[in-house]
Amino acid sequence: VKTTGHSLGAAIDGIAMMDLHSAGWKIEESYNFGMPRTGNEKFAAAFNKLFSSKFYRVTHHRDPVVQVPPDALIVNWHFTHVEPEVFYKGKVADGFNQCTEARDKQCSAQYWDIAIDLLNLGDHLDYMGIASSFFDCKKGAEDGEVGEVPMMLMV
């Protein structure tokens, strides 16, 4: 099974991967985009042990969704990221950083200020040069610009 998800769908996909694995399904690979922190440290450790060689958490610049729930805001919320992270600071052609630690400042952890990051919602709605908001999809369909996209199990 190949899986993917964006935003809340990425978080659900991470949980579904654990469930599918425990039910005997073989996860071949998964790419998640704009995934929020999904579980606690025990969840992340178990997930990373099972899937780190076939899972990629893709993040884009100052996407605010990847910073929630906060890992430290007034109190420790006990949420942490699963890894590895593939971080694009700009366009795909400009390259990426890959990080294996949740708080690596070479990736999205360099942007930790939710209030400022919220001003960059556009980074959450554009992954790999593909606009993912409802409004962009509708515009593309009206303009006849929507091409065929290979589909995986999309949550």
Side-chain angles (χ1 to χ4, degrees), residues 59-153:
T59 59
H60 180 216
H61 199 60
R62 293 190 82 121
D63 179 350
V65 173
V66 304
Q67 304 300 341
V68 295
D71 57 353
L73 179 65
I74 303 172
V75 297
N76 184 343
W77 291 42
H78 301 286
F79 284 88
T80 192
H81 275 302
V82 295
E83 304 304 334
E85 175 182 7
V86 178
F87 173 73
Y88 288 90
K89 189 165 189 160
K91 295 180 180 180
V92 173
D94 297 336
F96 61 89
N97 290 340
Q98 185 164 335
C99 300
T100 57
E101 297 292 324
R103 292 183 178 93
D104 191 328
K105 299 291 186 194
Q106 297 299 309
C107 288
S108 65
Q110 65 187 289
Y111 305 112
W112 55 269
D113 190 328
I114 292 286
I116 292 173
D117 292 343
L118 283 173
L119 299 173
N120 296 282
L121 189 58
D123 288 343
H124 182 67
L125 301 176
D126 183 324
Y127 267 88
M128 314 294 289
I130 297 173
S132 63
S133 79
F134 168 77
F135 301 106
D136 291 317
C137 291
K138 185 177 178 184
K139 178 183 178 290
E142 289 170 355
D143 295 344
E145 296 175 2
V146 178
E148 289 190 33
V149 178
M151 295 301 292
M152 296 191 295
L153 173 61

